């Protein structure tokens, strides 16, 4: 066991270039952020253990609740202005509005959850967050 203290700087580490925007887009499409070919998910919101093409380990991701929060923000910014516009211009009955808006909100949220989670995992990988930094001496 070495007595020398671990000295680690980001500049000293050998690093591959990771493009945040490319990784975000690949994750949004449900693909591996590194190779863009392997599948990121093994179920609706279950991130696979590793990429089937490039063997990238996906287990260090920590998406947690962020995808749900982002979906709420995105869907809210679509649904609320639409409701206000329809209400001020057409003023349909409340039951009719509920029959349209509630399923629309639910379906839009479910459609966006997996892509947004994939994008979050892609950004985490590109920014070397959590366990995605291969040069972190603490792992
Ligand atoms: Zn891959």
């Amino acid at each position: 066991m070495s007595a020398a203290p671990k000295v680690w700087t980001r500049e000293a580490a050998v690093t591959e270039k990771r493009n945040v925007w490319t990784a975000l887009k690949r994750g949004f499409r449900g693909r591996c952020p590194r190779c863009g070919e392997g599948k990121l998910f093994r179920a609706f919101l279950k991130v696979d253990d590793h990429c089937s093409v490039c063997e990238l380990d996906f287990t260090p991701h920590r998406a947690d609740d962020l995808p749900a929060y982002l979906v709420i923000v995105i869907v809210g910014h679509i649904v609320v202005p639409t409701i206000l516009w329809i209400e001020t211009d057409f003023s349909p009955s409340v039951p009719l509005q509920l029959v349209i808006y509630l399923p629309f909100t639910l379906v839009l949220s479910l459609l966006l959850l997996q892509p947004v989670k994939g994008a979050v995992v892609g950004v985490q990988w590109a920014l070397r967050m959590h366990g995605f930094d291969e040069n972190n001496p603490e792992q």
Side-chain angles (χ1 to χ4, degrees), residues 31-39 51-56 58:
R31 297 295 166 185
C32 167
R34 183 163 70 186
C35 69
E37 292 176 26
K39 284 186 177 176
C51 176
S52 58
V53 176
C54 73
E55 299 297 321
L56 173 66
F58 295 143

Side-chain angles (χ1 to χ4, degrees), residues 2 11 16 24 33 39 42-43 49 53 60 65 68 73-74 86 88 98 108-109 113-114 117 124 137:
S2 171
E11 292 73 29
E16 64 180 308
L24 186 150
K39 284 186 177 176
R42 66 180 144 90
D49 293 336
V53 176
D65 294 338
V73 169
I74 294 166
I86 291 176
T88 52
L98 290 176
L108 193 59
S109 299
L113 257 177
Q114 191 188 55
K117 183 168 185 174
Q124 288 180 348

Side-chain angles (χ1 to χ4, degrees), residues 3-4 22 47 56 61 71 73 80 85 98 113 121 124-125 133 135:
T22 301
V47 176
L56 173 66
H61 89 85
V71 166
V73 169
V80 171
W85 166 64
L98 290 176
L113 257 177
V121 173
Q124 288 180 348
W125 173 81
D133 192 344
N135 294 305

Side-chain angles (χ1 to χ4, degrees), residues 68-81:
Y69 294 134
L70 292 176
V71 166
I72 289 169
V73 169
I74 294 166
V75 172
H77 279 79
I78 294 170
V79 170
V80 171

